[in-house]
């Protein structure tokens, strides 16, 4: 997984797609739907890079793809030739794309501007090193990390005679406004419906159960609109629970509980046994083939 701390998203792959969500787990979405072998974020470009596996004419083809952080403006940068197949564990720097290759047993490098037509093997790994290396990581300098960040009051980074300034509030509050305390620490004023030190907690996140829809009331508290068949502040109560005493419950068109009683029972909640007090003089009650009560005499007559 990779994190875009500027916008407050975490990105990850599941082998069959690329997904992202907010840091509190909300707003989860699928960005790319395909077989993915590796993913890397280029924060300075606001683009993501990945290795994609496609079935073409009965054989798999690997390619290096790129898109913005929303999965749009997608580009195919390089079709990986068969000699470099079995590629995975991709990483990017400012100018280059890197990946690990199994059958070449090494780390491959390709310029982003595609100034060379084929990748270059940087070095060879032993088989044991190769299988132990599950992910490539490109380390940036401080100057590269702050490149493109707007200047503001706060933390300063000196670079020779030039200086760049990065606010300690920059992207600190995920859903709110940031201020700097007298002690020089960032503090957040969260939007309605959010809380937490960085406003990372959505009040509606997992609040309503059973597909209930969450919204905020006038006091900015989460309230639920429940789907048919559920009730309670969090839609956590099934209206069918313990409703039918001797039968099966379902939800009617009017969103009311409705019972289908077992043989020998009736009533709105299947609470009535049709044999109850049906036979007089100690007669024994049972159901016939039509599920109607009938009496069997004992030593005394059955009225």
């Amino acid at each position: 997984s990779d994190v875009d701390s500027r916008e407050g998203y975490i990105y990850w792959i599941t082998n069959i797609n690329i997904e992202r969500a907010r840091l509190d787990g909300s707003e989860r979405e699928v960005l790319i739907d395909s077989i993915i072998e590796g993913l890397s974020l280029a924060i300075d470009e606001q683009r993501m890079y990945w290795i994609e596996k496609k079935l073409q004419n009965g054989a798999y083809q690997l390619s290096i793809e790129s898109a913005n952080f929303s999965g749009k403006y997608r580009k195919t940068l390089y079709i990986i030739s068969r000699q470099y197949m079995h590629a995975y564990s991709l990483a990017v720097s400012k100018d280059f794309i890197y990946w690990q290759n199994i059958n070449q047993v090494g780390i491959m490098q390709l310029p982003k501007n595609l100034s060379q037509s084929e990748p270059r093997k940087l070095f060879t790994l032993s088989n044991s090193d190769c299988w132990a290396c599950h992910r490539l990581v490109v380390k940036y300098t401080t100057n590269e990390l702050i490149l493109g960040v707007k200047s503001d009051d706060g933390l300063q980074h000196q670079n020779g005679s030039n200086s760049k300034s990065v606010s300690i509030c920059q992207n600190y509050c995920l859903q709110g406004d940031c201020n700097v305390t007298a002690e020089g620490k960032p503090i957040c004023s969260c939007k309605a419906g959010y809380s937490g030190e960085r406003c990372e907690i959505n009040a509606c996140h997992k609040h309503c159960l059973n597909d209930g829809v969450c919204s905020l009331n006038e006091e900015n508290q989460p309230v639920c609109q429940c789907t048919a068949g559920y009730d309670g502040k969090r839609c956590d109560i099934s209206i069918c629970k313990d409703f039918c005493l001797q039968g099966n419950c379902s939800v009617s068109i009017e969103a009311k509980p409705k019972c289908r009683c077992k043989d020998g029972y009736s009533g709105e909640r299947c609470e009535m046994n049709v044999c109850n007090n049906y036979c007089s003089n100690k007669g024994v009650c049972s159901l016939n083939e039509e599920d109607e009560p009938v009496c069997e005499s004992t030593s005394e007559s059955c009225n």
Side-chain angles (χ1 to χ4, degrees):
S1 61
D2 276 296
V3 174
D4 173 17
S5 58
R6 293 184 181 183
E7 300 298 329
Y9 282 101
I10 182 171
Y11 294 74
W12 69 94
I13 60 175
T14 64
N15 291 330
I16 58 172
N17 53 41
I18 299 174
E19 298 187 38
R20 76 172 179 180
R22 289 291 184 182
L23 297 182
D24 65 353
S26 63
E27 299 180 30
R28 180 174 176 176
E29 60 181 325
V30 175
L31 301 177
I32 303 295
D33 186 8
S34 187
I35 302 175
I36 308 298
E37 298 289 348
L39 172 68
S40 184
L41 303 185
I43 303 298
D44 56 332
E45 301 176 58
Q46 290 288 287
R47 291 187 70 82
M48 56 184 177
Y49 293 79
W50 69 93
I51 298 173
E52 184 167 309
K53 192 175 184 180
K54 300 177 184 176
L55 190 61
Q56 297 283 347
N57 300 321
Y60 280 108
Q61 172 184 283
L62 267 66
S63 61
I64 296 177
E65 307 283 331
S66 176
N68 68 8
F69 282 177
S70 298
K72 299 178 180 179
Y73 305 107
R74 178 172 171 170
K75 296 179 181 179
T76 298
L77 301 178
Y78 177 68
I79 304 296
I80 300 176
S81 58
R82 297 196 65 82
Q83 69 182 110
Y84 301 120
M85 291 291 280
H86 305 292
Y88 70 106
S89 189
L90 178 137
V92 295
S93 67
K94 179 182 177 182
D95 299 312
F96 293 95
I97 303 168
Y98 304 86
W99 70 89
Q100 187 174 345
N101 187 269
I102 296 176
N103 57 351
Q104 291 288 321
V105 195
I107 305 299
M108 313 303 294
Q109 179 197 64
L110 187 72
K112 286 183 179 178
N113 62 10
L114 304 180
S115 58
Q116 63 190 56
S117 59
E118 291 296 327
R120 180 170 69 96
K121 182 189 285 189
L122 293 182
F123 48 82
T124 300
L125 299 173
S126 67
N127 286 328
S128 59
D129 288 338
C130 180
W131 287 110
C133 179
H134 293 296
R135 180 174 180 182
L136 300 179
V137 176
V138 174
K139 290 188 176 181
Y140 291 88
T141 65
T142 305
N143 188 57
E144 288 174 323
L145 286 174
I146 67 173
L147 184 65
V149 178
K150 294 180 179 179
S151 296
D152 202 343
D153 294 333
L155 178 67
Q156 292 234 331
H157 169 69
Q158 300 292 332
N159 180 18
S161 59
N162 299 322
S163 66
K164 292 185 183 229
S165 165
V166 181
S167 171
I168 59 175
C169 270
Q170 182 75 35
N171 299 311
Y172 181 77
C173 302
L174 302 181
Q175 294 291 339
D177 297 323
C178 180
N179 294 290
V180 181
T181 67
E183 294 79 20
K185 295 182 179 180
I187 186 172
C188 295
S189 176
C190 301
K191 295 179 183 178
Y194 290 88
S195 61
E197 183 180 354
R198 298 184 62 194
C199 306
E200 74 277 13
I201 302 172
N202 187 331
C204 273
H205 181 55
K206 294 185 178 180
H207 181 75
C208 301
L209 306 177
N210 298 304
D211 297 323
V213 179
C214 181
S215 59
L216 300 179
N217 61 16
E218 293 180 354
E219 289 78 32
N220 292 323
Q221 296 299 311
V223 293
C224 297
Q225 181 179 350
C226 301
T227 55
Y230 291 94
D231 201 356
K233 290 184 177 181
R234 299 186 61 198
C235 307
D236 53 331
I237 301 173
S238 170
I239 62 174
C240 272
K241 183 180 180 181
D242 300 327
F243 184 78
C244 301
L245 302 181
Q246 293 291 337
N248 297 320
C249 180
S250 60
V251 180
S252 68
I253 299 177
E254 296 80 18
K256 301 291 184 181
K258 182 179 180 181
C259 295
R260 183 176 181 179
C261 301
K262 297 178 182 178
D263 294 342
Y265 291 89
S266 63
E268 183 182 3
R269 299 183 62 196
C270 307
E271 73 278 14
M272 298 172 57
N273 187 329
V274 295
C275 272
N276 190 32
N277 297 322
Y278 182 78
C279 298
S280 302
N281 299 315
K282 299 182 180 181
V284 177
C285 179
S286 60
L287 301 179
N288 62 17
E289 294 179 355
E290 288 78 31
D291 294 327
E292 297 174 342
V294 293
C295 294
E296 182 179 349
S297 301
T298 56
S299 58
E300 302 180 22
S301 298
C302 178
N303 295 331

